[in-house]
Amino acid sequence: MSDTPAYDIVPDHRDGMRVLWDVPIPQDDGVVLRADVFLPEDEGRYPVLLSYGPYAKGLAFQDGYPTAWQTLSEQHPDVAAGSTNQYQNWEVVDPEKWIPHGYAVVRVDSRGCGRSPSVVDHFSARETRDYHDCVEWAGTQPWSDGNVGLSGVSYFGMNQWLVAATQPEHLRAICVWEGASDFYRDASHHGGILSTFWQHWYDKQVKTVQYGLGGRGPRHPVTGLQVCGDDDFTDEEMAANRVDFGGDIRAHPFIDDYHRTRIPDWSRITVPLLSAGNWGGQGLHLRGNVEGFLQAASEQKWLELHGLEHWTTYYTDYGREIQLAFFDHFLKGADNGWDRRPRVQLQVRHVDDTFTERFEDDWPIPRTRWQEMFLDPAARRLSETVPAGGTVEFDAMGNGVTFETSPFTETTEITGPLAARLWVETTAADCDLFLTLKVLDESGRHLTFVGAVDPHAPATQGWLRLSHRALDPARSLPYRPVHRHESADPVEPGVVYEVEVELWPTSLVIPPGHRLALTVGGRDFADPDLPEIRMSNFKNQMRGSGPFLHDDPVDRDPRVLTGRTTLHAGPGRPARLLVPIIPAAS
């Protein structure tokens, strides 16, 4: 590695900003991280919006994520309006939209990525310590007024939970936009089943911008600097400077110290927070925002839930103006009414992917009417009464069986968390359950929705590995079961097990004549009738579950999972789906 000393940065005056490129931030172990700092032209001290992550501060959004940028800029012209878009980066604020409001914007390349050297180890204690020290650094610079806020989407939200729990002195507020909070339950293992997303993401979005690519990597479109550092490492040196992220996750199938390091101590998150989730974010971009809002000890906390792609709403005027009001209040002390607004802001979703804005006092919505819909194996129906006893079986690794309601007779809103109680028997050594909630129109056609990543997502999904069925009674609620995931319980062929399955929250206004359908199967939901859809930053084709698949051949070993699964239901075993019905406001 080249030994680049710290140096005085000459401001680059451009587009109404002073920009300090590639500023060094020394860490306690001698590693020097690099940041770009965007400042107003006028000298002074400003509140800071900070982000810290692996996607390379010098990689333009348009170059790194062209399909996402094309969709965003074409369908939402307000995103590109009022900006040259030369400084757009993936999942962080556009400085040209924030500098005029009197903020400093700081982007830090996380350890081992972009122009910051050392070893890549995502969400580790070392990375969280780096982030903490970057917050303190930003709070003490001559251009800073000492008030630091954190902002960003997905990865840039996930690590906010972790650093907030370390309680940096200068941290004043966090805005977590579609960022998981429980690395195990929200991200790496859904219901105890390994998600292969992280290995593919690592290959496509991190290794491609790892420090040491040097001349093999891209160049900054404005400065001409090599995005991935000035060193040219061999492939062997590159591999030595990153953990085997996918392999590490696979090697820790239960919640142990590896995962506990990556799950925040909720009691220590006390700063004001705004948590924004996506109705279509099954797999990464929803549950953690809801749980972070509920679990954090912060007295001042707000939840916002929306739809569309996970990179969209953050950049639109709608999302940016919400963030601006939040940060103006907590970083600038503006008396703008933010502290008097209701705690929950919803974009209630309709079946045509339109939305109606509504504010609520809490989550789940206090006036929720919890409706039990019972599984009827003989009729394959979801009914309001417990049916006569019966069973239905399916291939344990197959598409499963579907239960449908009668057509709705009136417009019905379903908004909130869902849960299923099932009685399950298997002939295999273990059993994976994949639950998919769908909406069917009057002709029986499955309606899909714009998901956080997949353009054709179902209403919601849930997962559970039978050997992970043990609940955490202290945290579980009827509408939100929480599993321990600390060890495997025995699964014996011929034994019927009662299990609770969490389905991630959803919001739907269902018109008369439409139906709900619950599929219980043994594999990821995929709609074979969808057109081939691929995106530049993901490996797999989008077929309804996005990149959040569960197809690892080791974790999903056919020798363990092949067999027949039987669902039992009836008066002694009232299998049911618990659904949050929202009465019309009086």
Side-chain angles (χ1 to χ4, degrees):
M1 185 180 73
S2 60
D3 186 16
T4 304
Y7 53 91
D8 292 330
I9 307 294
V10 177
D12 183 10
H13 295 267
R14 53 172 56 245
D15 299 307
M17 303 181 291
R18 288 177 294 142
V19 187
L20 309 177
W21 300 111
D22 220 35
V23 180
I25 308 178
Q27 301 301 293
D28 60 1
D29 63 350
V31 170
V32 177
L33 305 180
R34 293 286 171 171
D36 290 340
V37 179
F38 300 84
L39 303 169
E41 280 282 14
D42 293 338
E43 296 284 346
R45 295 179 179 271
Y46 300 95
V48 180
L49 292 183
L50 178 70
S51 59
Y52 173 103
Y55 296 135
K57 61 185 177 60
L59 181 66
F61 191 145
Q62 301 90 322
D63 296 336
Y65 302 86
T67 53
W69 176 255
Q70 181 178 3
T71 299
L72 180 63
S73 58
E74 290 180 356
Q75 297 184 9
H76 303 277
D78 55 315
V79 172
S83 173
T84 68
N85 299 297
Q86 293 185 85
Y87 314 97
Q88 291 277 14
N89 270 191
W90 177 244
E91 297 184 341
V92 295
V93 301
D94 176 3
E96 289 187 87
K97 296 286 184 82
W98 285 85
I99 298 302
H101 294 282
Y103 285 89
V105 173
V106 178
R107 295 172 173 168
V108 185
D109 277 341
S110 59
R111 180 176 293 246
C113 298
R115 292 185 62 82
S116 293
S118 196
V119 177
V120 182
D121 190 3
H122 299 299
F123 309 114
S124 64
R126 176 67 258 181
E127 189 176 82
T128 300
R129 179 66 197 184
D130 289 345
Y131 199 175
H132 174 283
D133 291 350
C134 287
V135 172
E136 298 301 79
W137 174 88
T140 56
Q141 296 305 295
W143 36 260
S144 169
D145 69 1
N147 296 301
V148 180
L150 308 180
S151 182
V153 186
S154 194
Y155 194 106
F156 296 101
M158 293 174 69
N159 58 11
Q160 288 183 48
W161 301 113
L162 295 169
V163 75
T166 70
Q167 299 185 340
E169 178 184 351
H170 292 90
L171 183 60
R172 300 290 182 264
I174 62 174
C175 175
V176 182
W177 207 272
E178 301 191 30
S181 56
D182 181 326
F183 186 69
Y184 188 95
R185 296 177 179 89
D186 302 341
S188 72
H189 292 78
H190 301 127
I193 309 169
L194 177 68
S195 170
T196 53
F197 165 78
W198 290 102
Q199 180 59 65
H200 300 325
W201 166 85
Y202 201 44
D203 293 341
K204 293 285 286 185
Q205 293 183 238
V206 176
K207 293 179 183 179
T208 52
V209 290
Q210 185 184 351
Y211 181 91
L213 281 173
R216 292 182 290 166
R219 286 190 175 272
H220 193 294
V222 176
T223 67
L225 290 172
Q226 292 181 162
V227 167
C228 302
D230 298 324
D231 292 311
D232 287 281
F233 289 160
T234 66
D235 290 344
E236 291 74 19
E237 290 172 319
M238 297 286 287
N241 279 337
R242 61 176 182 256
V243 301
D244 178 6
F245 194 44
D248 286 351
I249 293 172
R250 187 187 299 109
H252 295 272
F254 303 103
I255 295 179
D256 56 13
D257 287 344
Y258 177 85
H259 289 285
R260 292 187 189 100
T261 298
R262 293 161 171 80
I263 299 173
D265 179 347
W266 301 110
S267 69
R268 291 184 54 80
I269 299 179
T270 58
V271 296
L273 69 88
L274 168 61
S275 180
N278 189 313
W279 298 124
Q282 299 95 354
L284 190 63
H285 298 108
L286 173 59
R287 182 188 188 276
N289 285 101
V290 173
E291 287 300 300
F293 166 77
L294 293 172
Q295 302 299 328
S298 305
E299 294 184 1
Q300 298 172 298
K301 54 184 180 179
W302 287 263
L303 177 67
E304 189 275 348
L305 295 170
H306 54 264
L308 303 180
E309 305 87 356
H310 89 85
W311 54 84
T312 296
T313 310
Y314 179 79
Y315 290 95
T316 62
D317 285 349
Y318 163 82
R320 183 177 53 80
E321 288 167 3
I322 293 172
Q323 298 160 48
L324 182 62
F326 172 74
F327 283 124
D328 275 356
H329 183 73
F330 288 109
L331 269 60
K332 293 185 173 184
D335 184 10
N336 58 9
W338 180 273
D339 56 330
R340 298 184 293 277
R341 68 190 274 135
R343 292 301 174 95
V344 177
Q345 180 174 359
L346 304 177
Q347 295 296 324
V348 178
R349 184 170 60 177
H350 297 264
V351 296
D352 61 354
D353 262 326
T354 59
F355 301 88
T356 300
E357 183 172 271
R358 191 174 70 231
F359 289 87
E360 299 285 352
D361 293 328
D362 207 351
W363 180 272
I365 298 171
R367 66 179 184 280
T368 300
R369 177 171 63 84
W370 298 101
Q371 176 69 55
E372 291 185 307
M373 297 183 175
F374 297 96
L375 279 63
D376 184 341
R380 305 286 178 89
R381 299 292 298 275
L382 287 172
S383 63
E384 294 185 6
T385 58
V386 179
T391 62
V392 61
E393 70 173 48
F394 55 89
D395 178 353
M397 298 188 75
N399 292 325
V401 294
T402 299
F403 304 86
E404 298 180 7
T405 66
S406 299
F408 282 75
T409 58
E410 59 184 19
T411 299
T412 303
E413 180 187 337
I414 295 171
T415 297
L418 302 93
R421 178 180 297 139
L422 304 175
W423 275 263
V424 181
E425 177 187 357
T426 181
T427 64
D430 205 344
C431 174
D432 287 349
L433 298 170
F434 294 75
L435 275 61
T436 305
L437 187 68
K438 309 172 188 175
V439 177
L440 309 179
D441 68 10
E442 295 163 305
S443 68
R445 180 174 61 96
H446 171 212
L447 302 179
T448 61
F449 305 93
V450 175
V453 178
D454 198 304
H456 300 286
T460 191
Q461 295 171 284
W463 309 263
L464 182 66
R465 176 158 288 168
L466 189 55
S467 61
H468 285 241
R469 62 189 178 275
L471 291 171
D472 181 344
R475 294 182 59 191
S476 292
L477 296 166
Y479 54 79
R480 198 265 341 260
V482 178
H483 297 86
R484 290 188 181 277
H485 300 299
E486 293 175 346
S487 61
D489 287 334
V491 175
E492 299 180 15
V495 176
V496 180
Y497 297 97
E498 179 183 355
V499 299
E500 300 279 348
V501 185
E502 175 187 17
L503 283 80
W504 287 22
T506 193
S507 179
L508 293 166
V509 177
I510 302 175
H514 288 56
R515 290 169 286 166
L516 283 180
L518 176 69
T519 297
V520 182
R523 61 184 299 173
D524 285 307
F525 166 72
D527 188 338
D529 296 327
L530 292 175
E532 181 171 337
I533 298 174
R534 294 187 182 274
M535 301 182 67
S536 58
N537 52 316
F538 297 114
K539 290 183 178 181
N540 64 289
Q541 185 174 334
M542 302 291 124
R543 281 289 175 84
S545 294
F548 307 108
L549 302 180
H550 308 81
D551 54 2
D552 182 83
V554 176
D555 184 73
R556 294 265 293 156
D557 187 344
R559 295 171 297 179
V560 175
L561 298 174
T562 296
R564 302 290 293 176
T565 298
T566 301
L567 302 180
H568 296 252
R573 291 165 173 161
R576 59 97 172 110
L577 175 69
L578 188 63
V579 179
I581 306 295
I582 308 302
S586 57

